[in-house]
């Protein structure tokens, strides 16, 4: 039985496209910058957006038409979805999937019943992995949808909710081990506050850190050696999320001794909500040695919430992939997970293929441009030259610590206005942007 009415998606290149369903830039086994494209990009399909999302918005019901809708019993539908999902991965040509525990199976009345439902679906995933070779980039625990998490999970003011969260998480880690997840993600869906008037911020953050430590300790105990990742987001759903952005999350990790075992999973739309570019977030993580993995999506500059649009902005993917190429990889076990969904008006099954194709092609294009710029050392020279006054003389003495403040005073006291004006140089930023445009246009034509 076939769920999706398409053939396997092929690389067709940038010539005349015969059908809309083809990759123009993503050619998985082509070697670019010393590695196969599939190994640079390690694309993953997100179970929640792709197979569960009904395309609701706050004003309207779901519009999605999905090939397993005919199964009305929740467990029958959950099992059919696994087959549909693995056919989708095969036709799209991705190597990885990602999921939350609750994406897979309906909850029962107790955690025991819920785990039983979940285990049945995971059994089927494991069977499908054996025949397809599909790998799990990461799994995670949904500790935010059910009303019990209304005031948080690890940061809930209620001990029973913390306990339940830990119990749910324990099983999710066991599942991670079963499916061989390369990473394990924590996005703090409700881990923030609505109002400071009733919040003990310090106590909540200590609790969150305790839950992360417990998770890592338990993973070690069962021999689940996934890279642990925290995913920053500044707001939505709570007014203020504790893992606001990369820099805030790194400070939290350092304060609570988590920076040895945890890295970051960074998302484009989350970066924008924090007032940053995706490139900024990736740079902050990479320079701290904490870049773990990436959630691929884009926001809309005119909308102030998380719309999880499939990435299509080539300038932004070029910027993100420039950081990745500079880093040598996305992260030790990182990949690009499409935390993205079609617009509500793109409700047909095939829109899921188009969404992933534009996303995969956009990052593949970004990779090609970033590698071309790297090969020509375009940015290397720009950055190196800008700081070259620190390579010798007084600059080298400042960096080495040889120069004291008194030395710098001596050095500066008689410099004239003109001397100092001459010490600065134009950044030629417009020329740099013109060069980047040139590489995008030339590489992608
Ligand atoms: C929410 C979000 C999540 C995480 C996984 O904005 O990004 O889907 O990626 O829980
Ligand atoms: Co995400």
């Amino acid at each position: 039985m076939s769920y999706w009415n398409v053939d396997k998606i092929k690389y067709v290149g940038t010539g005349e496209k015969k059908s809309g369903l083809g990759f123009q830039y993503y050619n998985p086994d082509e070697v670019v910058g010393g590695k196969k494209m599939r190994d640079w990009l390690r694309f993953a399909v997100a179970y929640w957006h792709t197979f569960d999302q009904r395309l609701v918005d706050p004003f309207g019901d779901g519009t999605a038409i999905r090939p397993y809708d005919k199964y009305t019993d929740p467990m029958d539908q959950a099992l059919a979805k696994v087959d549909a999902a693995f056919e989708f991965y095969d036709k799209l040509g991705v190597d990885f999937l990602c999921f939350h525990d609750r994406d897979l199976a309906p909850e029962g009345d107790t955690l025991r019943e819920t785990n039983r439902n979940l285990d049945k679906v995971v059994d089927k995933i494991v069977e499908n992995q054996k025949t397809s070779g599909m790998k799990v980039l990461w799994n995670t625990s949904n500790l935010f949808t059910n009303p019990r998490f209304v005031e948080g999970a690890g940061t809930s003011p209620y001990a029973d909710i913390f306990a339940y969260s830990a119990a749910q998480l324990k099983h999710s880690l066991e599942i991670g081990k079963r499916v061989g997840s390369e990473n394990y993600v924590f996005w703090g869906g409700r881990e923030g506050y609505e109002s400071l008037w009733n919040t003990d911020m310090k106590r909540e953050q200590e609790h969150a850190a305790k839950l992360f430590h417990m998770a890592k300790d338990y993973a070690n105990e069962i021999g689940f050696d996934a890279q642990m990742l925290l995913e920053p987001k500044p707001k939505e759903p709570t007014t203020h999320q504790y893992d606001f952005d990369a820099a805030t999350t790194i400070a939290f990790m350092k304060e609570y001794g988590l920076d040895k075992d945890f890295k970051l999973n960074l998302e484009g739309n989350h970066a924008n909500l924090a007032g940053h570019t995706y490139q900024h977030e990736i740079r902050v993580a990479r320079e701290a040695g904490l870049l773990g993995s990436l959630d691929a999506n884009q926001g809309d500059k005119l909308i102030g919430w998380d719309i999880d649009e499939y990435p299509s902005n080539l300038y932004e993917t070029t910027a993100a992939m420039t950081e990745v190429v500079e880093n040598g990889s996305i992260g030790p076990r990182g990949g690009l997970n499409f935390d993205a969904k079609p617009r509500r008006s793109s409700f047909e099954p095939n829109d899921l293929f188009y969404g992933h194709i534009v996303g995969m092609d956009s990052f593949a294009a970004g990779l090609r441009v970033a590698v071309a710029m790297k090969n020509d050392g375009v940015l290397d020279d720009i950055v190196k030259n800008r700081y070259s006054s620190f390579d010798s003389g007084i600059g080298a003495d400042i960096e080495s610590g040889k120069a004291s403040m008194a030395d710098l005073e001596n050095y500066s006291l008689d410099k004239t206005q003109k001397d100092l004006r001459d010490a600065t140089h134009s950044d030629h930023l417009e020329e740099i942007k013109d060069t980047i445009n040139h590489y995008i246009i030339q590489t992608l034509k």
Side-chain angles (χ1 to χ4, degrees):
M1 175 183 170
S2 172
Y3 286 90
W4 308 97
N5 191 21
V6 299
D7 295 329
K8 271 194 182 212
I9 314 298
K10 293 198 187 77
Y11 170 68
V12 295
T14 50
E16 200 188 326
K17 245 176 135 187
K18 290 190 189 66
S19 130
L21 288 165
F23 293 114
Q24 299 181 80
Y25 299 108
Y26 182 55
N27 190 15
D29 292 316
E30 185 181 329
V31 175
V32 168
K35 263 195 275 190
K36 286 185 180 176
M37 294 186 96
R38 69 163 80 240
D39 296 329
W40 271 115
L41 299 161
R42 292 165 49 97
F43 288 129
V45 170
Y47 212 91
W48 55 104
H49 280 315
T50 313
F51 307 114
D52 295 333
Q53 173 59 247
R54 303 309 306 184
L55 308 181
V56 293
D57 75 11
F59 304 97
D61 294 341
T63 56
I65 298 168
R66 299 291 176 251
Y68 32 76
D69 289 348
K70 63 182 176 213
Y71 297 94
T72 47
D73 173 76
M75 268 312 278
D76 290 348
Q77 186 173 107
L79 292 166
K81 259 188 211 170
V82 175
D83 287 332
F86 277 80
E87 186 190 329
F88 187 89
Y89 307 140
D90 178 52
K91 289 191 158 161
L92 186 63
V94 289
D95 300 326
F96 295 92
L97 65 141
C98 290
F99 61 87
H100 300 81
D101 43 9
R102 299 294 169 263
D103 302 342
L104 301 182
E107 289 209 336
D109 190 41
T110 61
L111 186 58
R112 194 182 301 281
E113 279 173 36
T114 302
N115 286 347
R116 206 176 295 139
N117 290 347
L118 184 53
D119 289 342
K120 259 192 218 151
V121 180
V122 172
D123 287 344
K124 193 158 183 188
I125 288 184
V126 171
E127 265 170 45
N128 273 275
Q129 281 185 285
K130 283 189 191 132
T131 49
S132 64
M134 277 293 292
K135 290 171 278 190
V136 177
L137 184 66
W138 50 262
N139 69 311
T140 181
S141 200
N142 178 332
L143 299 174
F144 44 86
T145 298
N146 189 287
R148 71 177 75 93
F149 301 121
V150 60
E151 289 160 66
T155 64
S156 170
Y158 308 111
D160 276 9
I161 303 302
F162 184 103
Y164 187 98
S165 305
Q168 182 178 330
L169 186 48
K170 174 178 176 289
H171 197 66
S172 184
L173 292 164
E174 289 158 5
I175 288 169
K177 179 172 174 171
R178 284 190 63 198
V179 301
S181 291
E182 300 200 10
N183 303 273
Y184 192 90
V185 163
F186 298 85
W187 168 59
R190 304 276 166 192
E191 316 299 16
Y193 62 75
E194 284 306 318
S195 168
L196 274 182
W197 295 115
N198 66 357
T199 299
D200 187 336
M201 232 167 101
K202 185 143 180 66
R203 204 166 179 185
E204 291 201 359
Q205 292 196 69
E206 281 168 6
H207 290 176
K210 187 167 288 293
L211 190 61
F212 295 139
H213 276 294
M214 285 170 91
K216 179 61 186 162
D217 290 347
Y218 185 65
N220 286 345
E221 191 184 321
I222 63 173
F224 174 37
D225 72 346
Q227 171 65 55
M228 299 284 161
L229 301 173
L230 299 187
E231 182 175 323
K233 182 175 183 180
K235 54 188 171 190
E236 203 215 9
T238 66
T239 309
H240 174 90
Q241 302 262 144
Y242 292 131
D243 292 340
F244 191 91
D245 61 359
T248 312
T249 308
I250 291 170
F252 169 83
M253 286 155 74
K254 292 197 166 159
E255 174 153 2
Y256 292 101
L258 293 158
D259 53 314
K260 300 280 168 298
D261 293 320
F262 286 69
K263 293 190 189 297
L264 296 174
N265 183 45
L266 299 168
E267 179 168 323
N269 205 155
H270 294 181
N272 297 162
L273 293 178
H276 303 310
T277 60
Y278 199 15
Q279 182 183 19
H280 168 96
E281 288 292 84
I282 302 172
R283 174 77 63 92
V284 168
R286 149 168 113 67
E287 292 195 331
L290 293 172
L291 180 57
S293 198
L294 296 174
D295 268 11
N297 66 18
Q298 68 185 24
D300 186 308
K301 306 290 177 287
L302 307 178
I303 295 178
W305 64 91
D306 194 11
I307 62 167
D308 289 334
E309 204 176 326
Y310 287 106
S312 61
N313 183 323
L314 300 177
Y315 204 85
E316 288 180 3
T317 57
T318 295
M321 289 313 294
T322 297
E323 298 299 322
V324 168
V325 167
E326 206 49 53
N327 200 50
S329 70
I330 293 175
R333 301 185 202 167
L336 278 160
N337 166 53
F338 286 103
D339 200 350
K341 62 186 179 203
R343 298 308 84 197
R344 190 164 176 269
S345 51
S346 301
F347 47 77
E348 290 181 2
N350 281 5
D351 292 313
L352 293 169
F353 283 97
Y354 282 111
H356 283 88
I357 289 170
V358 71
M360 290 163 76
D361 256 348
S362 297
F363 273 93
L367 171 65
R368 288 179 187 274
V369 179
V371 165
M373 292 201 293
K374 175 81 185 163
N375 287 344
D376 291 354
V378 187
L379 299 169
D380 297 353
D381 289 346
I382 289 170
V383 177
K384 201 166 152 281
N385 292 342
R386 192 154 183 256
Y387 298 90
S388 59
S389 62
F390 283 93
D391 294 341
S392 59
I394 193 75
D397 289 349
I398 292 170
E399 284 197 350
S400 69
K402 202 174 143 207
S404 68
M405 287 196 103
D407 294 335
L408 298 181
E409 186 188 41
N410 270 341
Y411 181 83
S412 300
L413 270 178
D414 298 318
K415 292 256 187 233
T416 63
Q417 299 279 1
K418 182 173 182 311
D419 291 338
L420 293 170
R421 191 64 222 264
D422 289 349
T424 68
H425 303 281
S426 169
D427 270 342
H428 303 303
L429 269 177
E430 295 72 15
E431 186 189 343
I432 294 171
K433 289 181 183 174
D434 189 48
T435 304
I436 292 169
N437 279 357
H438 166 84
Y439 273 87
I440 292 176
I441 293 162
Q442 291 303 316
T443 313
L444 301 181
K445 68 179 183 197

